[in-house]
Amino acid sequence: MSVHSPIEQFVIQNLIPVHIGGFDLSFTNSSLWMVIGAIVSVGFLTIAMRRHAVVPGRMQMMAEMLYEFVARMVQENVGKGGRKYFPLIFTTFVFVLMGNVLGLLPNSFTYTSHLIVTGALALFIFFTVIFFGFYNHGLKFFSLFLPPNVPWWLVAFIVPIEVISFFVRPVTLSVRLFANMMAGHLILKVVMGFAVSAATMGAAWTLLGLFPVLVDVALLLFECLVAVIQAYVFAILCCVYLKDTVDLHH
Amino acid sequence: MELEAAKLIAGALVVLPAFGSALGLGMYFSSYNNAIGRNPEAKKQLDEKFFLILAFVEALGIIPIGIGAAMLFGG
């Protein structure tokens, strides 16, 4: 019986190898699941809004709830000027949510469990913040690193700390999502590995092997919670970071 | 001590911070319940930020596990 190492679920397989100019742009299982996530989210929203009646049906209610949830989040955290960031936040939230939730299906692939994906998302948000920060506020954007009414002798300490905390944002943003998704799925496989190895050791042990399965059920429920919450936290932190481009400290 | 043994020990040691996160979660939930116990009307305000902070404390516990796993099973 091939020993199924827990890390095997994160291995990227090239489904359609495409090599262009020395670059390996092949269509991998990660991009396959990204396409599936896109199809599922776009499909759900179009089907739900097909008969957009004033009195919403069940499907339309679900789509509206998703929309209002993100709209309220953007409204609360980015304020008036945040209206123009709503599409960005909504897309990021649905993309990460699809990645996390679809990743819970058996032998599917969680594309958010790779640092490269979460890193790309976080860096994209980070450069958006920098671009719009300078676009809206010009050089005054640097006042971000000097919060108001700080005593003069503290300035020498506050500014470096603020600069560091500004640049650590994409790192924490991406590592949090990456570690949660990878470690969560890893623990699921490791615990199930105990049940499998118990089962191979004879009948009496198989009964004992039932216990890790129950633990695994509880872990999977916890993973469902973590999947949705991490998508929510990722989106809300993007809102918080975009808030600086709208109003600086006031 | 071979590299393999050192890597296994490192993989185990790196998960120690999860202890802090577990402690943090326990204190967080107890203060949440105390706050609701003292003032049930505040539940709505508390719930707004509840999941956000839960994710932060949880993330600090999972990140070391993620790094430990990456070291143990990774390269």
Side-chain angles (χ1 to χ4, degrees):
Chain A
M1 193 185 69
S2 78
V3 176
H4 191 84
S5 94
I7 206 78
E8 212 175 303
Q9 61 188 334
F10 302 118
V11 171
I12 288 190
Q13 290 115 12
N14 293 353
L15 302 181
I16 306 168
V18 169
H19 297 274
I20 296 172
F23 289 105
D24 179 4
L25 302 177
S26 43
F27 188 77
T28 64
N29 54 0
S30 172
S31 23
L32 168 70
W33 279 91
M34 286 184 192
V35 167
I36 292 174
I39 290 170
V40 165
S41 46
V42 167
F44 165 69
L45 286 174
T46 41
I47 290 171
M49 297 309 286
R50 215 175 22 198
R51 283 190 312 277
H52 41 78
V54 175
V55 176
R58 277 191 299 277
M59 282 287 277
Q60 185 180 341
M61 179 56 78
M62 281 160 57
E64 280 176 8
M65 266 176 10
L66 177 64
Y67 179 88
E68 274 151 20
F69 174 73
V70 181
R72 197 178 322 114
M73 183 193 341
V74 171
Q75 172 65 24
E76 273 164 21
N77 294 289
V78 190
K80 214 59 215 90
R83 199 72 195 122
K84 58 180 185 291
Y85 294 127
F86 173 75
L88 170 70
I89 302 291
F90 187 81
T91 323
T92 314
F93 176 68
V94 170
F95 181 75
V96 172
L97 187 68
M98 280 300 133
N100 295 351
V101 168
L102 290 182
L104 294 170
L105 302 177
N107 61 50
S108 74
F109 184 85
T110 330
Y111 52 77
T112 43
S113 70
H114 280 263
L115 190 55
I116 195 69
V117 173
T118 55
L121 283 172
L123 280 176
F124 177 73
I125 300 284
F126 181 63
F127 288 122
T128 315
V129 165
I130 290 183
F131 173 73
F132 277 109
F134 285 115
Y135 182 75
N136 293 347
H137 302 294
L139 284 183
K140 238 156 57 55
F141 187 57
F142 284 114
S143 77
L144 181 71
F145 299 129
L146 180 59
N149 49 53
V150 161
W152 60 272
W153 41 271
L154 211 55
V155 168
F157 296 104
I158 289 289
V159 172
I161 291 172
E162 284 287 326
V163 169
I164 292 171
S165 83
F166 182 79
F167 283 102
V168 95
R169 279 179 183 172
V171 175
T172 52
L173 198 58
S174 56
V175 171
R176 176 180 305 116
L177 181 58
F178 156 69
N180 265 289
M181 282 301 115
M182 195 190 85
H185 288 249
L186 203 70
I187 294 175
L188 286 181
K189 287 294 195 309
V190 166
V191 168
M192 198 44 89
F194 297 151
V196 168
S197 54
T200 58
M201 279 169 20
W205 286 96
T206 322
L207 286 181
L208 190 72
L210 184 62
F211 181 65
V213 173
L214 298 180
V215 169
D216 211 61
V217 168
L219 278 175
L220 195 61
L221 289 178
F222 179 66
E223 268 313 295
C224 299
L225 178 70
V226 163
V228 178
I229 286 185
Q230 284 305 323
Y232 170 65
V233 162
F234 194 89
I236 208 163
L237 279 176
C238 293
C239 294
V240 167
Y241 296 155
L242 284 169
K243 186 174 167 48
D244 297 335
T245 65
V246 173
D247 51 353
L248 281 165
H249 286 305
H250 46 64
Chain B
M1 184 163 61
E2 305 81 10
L3 175 65
E4 206 46 49
K7 193 180 280 190
L8 288 178
I9 291 173
L13 278 181
V14 92
V15 186
L16 280 182
F19 168 77
S21 159
L23 211 60
L25 277 175
M27 285 169 10
Y28 178 59
F29 284 126
S30 77
S31 59
Y32 177 75
N33 293 333
N34 284 347
I36 296 227
R38 285 178 204 280
N39 177 7
E41 284 87 21
K43 182 165 183 9
K44 194 176 156 323
Q45 278 162 341
L46 280 172
D47 281 352
E48 272 162 26
K49 289 285 185 280
F50 175 71
F51 284 107
L52 181 65
I53 299 166
L54 171 69
F56 286 157
V57 178
E58 180 61 31
L60 292 179
I62 294 279
I63 287 177
I65 294 175
I67 293 172
M71 266 174 21
L72 270 182
F73 298 112

